[in-house]
């Protein structure tokens, strides 16, 4: 039931991409730069498992993502994380679409897709704006705040509560469970195994209660959609429902939160780019794509080779783990003009690659439009109300090789505008 902690390994000067410490102080970008140039298909041994191939170039990541027959996400082959999902004792809650291959994957994705169609997402804009306005109204009049807990973490959780049709007051519980679920390597987020077990049980109990409620009284929310959906005439199984619930809680929450906070950090470190957005807010949609490229809040996803094959001439054996590092593909010198420059106008130019932060292929992020909308509205309102808002002290990062996250980020601004 518990996701294992990453164990460090000494690779004699070579990078251990699995080490959560690599991502605490932005050292991963140097490691990836070296690998892209010298070993773009790099064998990363593991202390507690078989090792994995680290894929660091954009084109390889895209090609692997689009070939699920050869590179599987299925739980029975190991799933989408570096650890093997099928090795975890009693893990019957992870069987969600993200750990499935076609054609099974498509049947499950179809069940949730109506909740994310453009019309429905666009219909949420005014409510998202009202939420953002309230959060910004509540920022302290002292002109100093902790941005993650007061804004970045709250907005995605409230939006998730709306999608689920639950009260916003349930938000803190969803927040805690989500952190504990993906925070296995951060002792502040998973304080102990017992605490994690408690969170999993609470989350499953909460999800089960919602399922029963919506079977009887369906609404237009995502939970009702799942409770009443059919795959080949059959209802979704309960473990798959729980897995999907967890996927939505984590997928909708950690990622958006860290794009919001990481975006403000990037704007603070690049005041000339912030100036461009202040002068011309119509650049914000381009800035949103650049923020997701720059931050890459999901550092990687994993696949497993289903046959012997080759990537860039490197032999890959059937059963090998193949880990696609989006954070690296999004800075690939062969793909991007000036990849290490944060450029809010990048997406106004022609022939710009699609950033890989939302993945590619079958599993391309189902919530991408919702995330983009939240980021757009947030930065429109934030910069309009607090044009001088900036990071005012050291930030604290989440210890993780999977989510590139910020736990604390102090900000300063001129209040009362
Ligand atoms: C900036 C914010 C976000 C980022 C960077 C992000 C990133 C990703 C990535 C990289 C994948 C691909 C997984 C793979 O290829 O194995 C993915 C899938 C997914 N995301 Fe997101 N995500 C974000 C926001 C959201 C939101 C807001 C939701 C929902 C509320 C969501 C729900 C999902 C779901 C359900 C999948 C699985 C899709 C499938 O397997 O077909 N995501 N996301």
């Amino acid at each position: 039931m518990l996701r294992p902690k990453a164990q460090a390994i000494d690779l004699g000067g070579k990078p251990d991409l699995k080490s959560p410490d690599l991502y605490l102080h932005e050292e991963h970008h140097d490691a990836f730069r070296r690998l892209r140039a010298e070993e773009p298909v790099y064998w990363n041994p593991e202390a507690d498992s078989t090792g994995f191939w680290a894929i660091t170039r954009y084109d390889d990541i895209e090609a692997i993502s689009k070939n699920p027959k050869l590179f599987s996400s299925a739980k029975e082959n190991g799933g989408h994380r570096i650890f093997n999902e099928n090795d975890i004792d009693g893990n019957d809650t992870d069987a969600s679409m993200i750990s499935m291959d076609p054609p099974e994957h498509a049947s499950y994705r179809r069940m949730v897709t109506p909740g994310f169609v453009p019309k429905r997402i666009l219909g949420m804009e005014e409510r998202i704006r009202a939420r953002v306005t309230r959060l910004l109204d509540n920022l302290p009049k002292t002109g100093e705040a902790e941005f993650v807990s007061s804004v970045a973490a709250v907005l995605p959780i409230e939006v998730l509560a709306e999608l689920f049709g639950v009260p916003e007051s349930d938000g803190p519980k969803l927040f805690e469970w989500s952190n504990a679920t993906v925070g296995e390597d951060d002792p502040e987020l998973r304080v102990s195994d017992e605490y994690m077990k408690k969170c999993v049980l609470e989350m499953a109990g909460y999800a089960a209660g919602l399922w029963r409620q919506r079977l009887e009284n369906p609404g237009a929310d995502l939970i009702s959609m799942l409770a009443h959906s059919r795959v080949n005439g059959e209802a979704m199984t309960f473990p798959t429902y729980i897995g999907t619930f967890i996927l939505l809680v984590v997928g909708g929450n950690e990622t958006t939160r860290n794009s919001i906070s990481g975006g403000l950090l990037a704007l603070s470190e690049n005041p000339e780019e912030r100036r461009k957005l202040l002068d011309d807010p119509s650049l914000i949609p381009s800035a949103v794509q650049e923020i997701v490229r720059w931050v890459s809040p999901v550092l990687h996803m994993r696949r497993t080779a289903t046959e012997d094959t080759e990537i860039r001439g490197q032999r890959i054996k059937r059963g090998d783990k193949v880990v696609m590092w989006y954070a690296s593909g999004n800075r690939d010198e062969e793909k991007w003009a000036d990849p290490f420059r944060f450029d809010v106008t990048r997406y106004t130019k022609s022939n710009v690659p699609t950033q890989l932060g939302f993945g590619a292929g079958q599993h391309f992020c189902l919530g991408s439009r919702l995330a983009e909308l939240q980021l757009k509205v947030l930065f429109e309102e934030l910069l309009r109300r607090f044009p001088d808002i900036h990071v005012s002290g050291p930030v604290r990062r989440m210890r993780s090789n999977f989510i590139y996250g910020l736990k604390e980020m102090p900000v300063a601004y001129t209040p009362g505008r």
Side-chain angles (χ1 to χ4, degrees):
M1 195 182 262
L2 288 187
R3 293 152 194 243
K5 293 182 180 140
Q7 290 181 25
I9 185 167
D10 183 355
L11 298 180
K14 291 204 163 190
D16 177 13
L17 301 178
K18 198 174 164 186
S19 166
D21 294 324
L22 184 67
Y23 306 90
L24 280 174
H25 306 289
E26 309 223 10
E27 288 160 315
H28 57 300
H29 285 305
D30 274 345
F32 284 136
R33 201 193 313 242
R34 227 167 4 116
L35 291 178
R36 281 192 302 274
E38 292 165 16
E39 279 181 272
V41 183
Y42 164 68
W43 181 250
N44 197 129
E46 291 175 273
D48 56 349
S49 184
T50 52
F52 58 88
W53 293 106
I55 309 299
T56 49
R57 297 225 89 129
Y58 183 109
D59 288 342
D60 298 337
I61 294 171
E62 191 181 35
I64 291 166
S65 300
K66 292 185 172 173
N67 192 348
K69 202 159 175 264
L70 191 53
F71 298 104
S72 164
S73 296
K75 182 182 164 191
E76 58 270 27
N77 291 325
H80 70 284
R81 297 287 308 270
I82 298 181
F83 57 79
N84 286 321
E85 288 170 26
N86 48 350
D87 279 353
I88 304 174
D89 285 345
N91 179 21
D92 54 0
T93 59
D94 260 352
S96 70
M97 70 181 110
I98 201 163
S99 300
M100 291 178 188
D101 288 336
E104 193 191 18
H105 165 259
S107 318
Y108 283 88
R109 185 163 164 129
R110 256 198 306 276
M111 289 185 197
V112 200
T113 300
F116 293 94
V117 291
K119 189 166 167 243
R120 192 179 165 118
I121 299 301
L122 285 176
M124 295 174 75
E125 175 158 353
E126 283 323 303
R127 292 190 297 281
I128 291 177
R129 199 172 296 280
R131 289 202 166 91
V132 169
T133 303
R134 179 176 43 77
L135 292 176
L136 299 184
D137 284 346
N138 290 341
L139 281 179
K141 303 293 174 249
T142 53
E144 287 179 358
E146 197 290 291
F147 189 73
V148 177
S149 55
S150 52
V151 178
V154 191
L155 178 66
I157 277 289
E158 288 191 1
V159 170
L160 206 59
E162 178 180 335
L163 284 181
F164 288 175
V166 301
E168 279 171 11
S169 52
D170 287 359
K173 283 191 283 206
L174 296 170
F175 179 75
E176 184 186 359
W177 297 333
S178 167
N179 279 338
T181 305
V182 289
E184 65 261 14
D185 290 316
D186 191 317
E188 284 178 4
L189 300 180
R190 185 187 289 183
V191 284
S192 67
D193 288 354
E194 287 63 42
Y195 166 76
M196 177 58 195
K197 281 181 195 147
K198 179 183 104 41
C199 285
V200 172
L201 286 176
E202 278 176 8
M203 180 158 44
Y206 176 86
L210 285 179
W211 169 274
R212 281 193 296 272
Q213 223 179 60
R214 303 301 155 81
L215 272 180
E216 284 169 23
N217 292 310
D221 57 276
L222 274 187
I223 306 291
S224 300
M225 247 172 237
L226 296 176
H228 291 270
S229 58
R230 294 282 175 275
V231 182
N232 304 325
E234 304 276 325
M236 185 183 261
T237 63
F238 191 65
T240 305
Y241 160 69
I242 297 287
T244 308
F245 181 87
I246 296 173
L247 170 65
L248 290 167
V249 171
V250 175
N253 171 24
E254 305 283 335
T255 52
T256 316
R257 176 201 321 167
N258 292 310
S259 307
I260 294 172
S261 45
L264 181 55
L265 180 60
L267 289 172
S268 294
E269 287 170 346
N270 297 276
E272 69 295 350
E273 297 301 302
R274 185 230 307 261
R275 184 74 255 160
K276 288 180 195 162
L277 296 186
L278 291 171
D279 292 345
D280 181 2
S282 75
L283 288 173
I284 289 178
S286 166
V288 165
Q289 294 306 318
E290 181 66 344
I291 285 170
V292 181
R293 180 188 79 87
W294 188 254
V295 177
S296 294
V298 176
L299 288 161
H300 69 263
M301 287 282 171
R302 170 246 175 125
R303 302 292 187 257
T304 304
T306 57
E307 301 291 338
D308 290 355
T309 185
E310 279 191 7
I311 306 174
R312 281 187 195 257
Q314 172 62 57
R315 274 199 63 208
I316 310 287
K317 290 202 299 295
R318 176 166 182 247
D320 281 355
K321 301 183 196 179
V322 175
V323 179
M324 308 174 291
W325 293 91
Y326 303 126
S328 173
N330 271 339
R331 305 270 176 118
D332 185 344
E333 299 78 358
E334 273 182 8
K335 203 73 191 179
W336 305 93
D338 221 350
F340 282 83
R341 190 171 125 60
F342 178 73
D343 174 3
V344 296
T345 68
R346 187 181 293 274
Y347 288 88
T348 60
K349 296 164 191 157
S350 48
N351 298 325
V352 185
T354 307
Q355 54 82 14
L356 290 172
F358 291 122
Q362 271 71 12
H363 292 277
F364 181 80
C365 177
L366 193 53
S368 62
R369 282 201 187 87
L370 180 59
E372 286 163 1
L373 181 63
Q374 292 181 65
L375 285 160
K376 178 182 96 79
V377 173
L378 187 281
F379 283 104
E380 281 171 0
E381 295 301 323
L382 185 70
L383 293 175
R384 191 173 63 75
R385 298 268 300 272
F386 303 107
D388 63 353
I389 190 164
H390 61 277
V391 176
S392 56
V395 302
R396 286 208 316 125
R397 287 203 175 272
M398 176 175 169
R399 187 172 179 273
S400 170
N401 63 26
F402 184 57
I403 298 288
Y404 192 50
L406 286 159
K407 291 195 291 195
E408 266 176 33
M409 190 170 88
V411 292
Y413 48 89
T414 304
R417 299 173 90 130

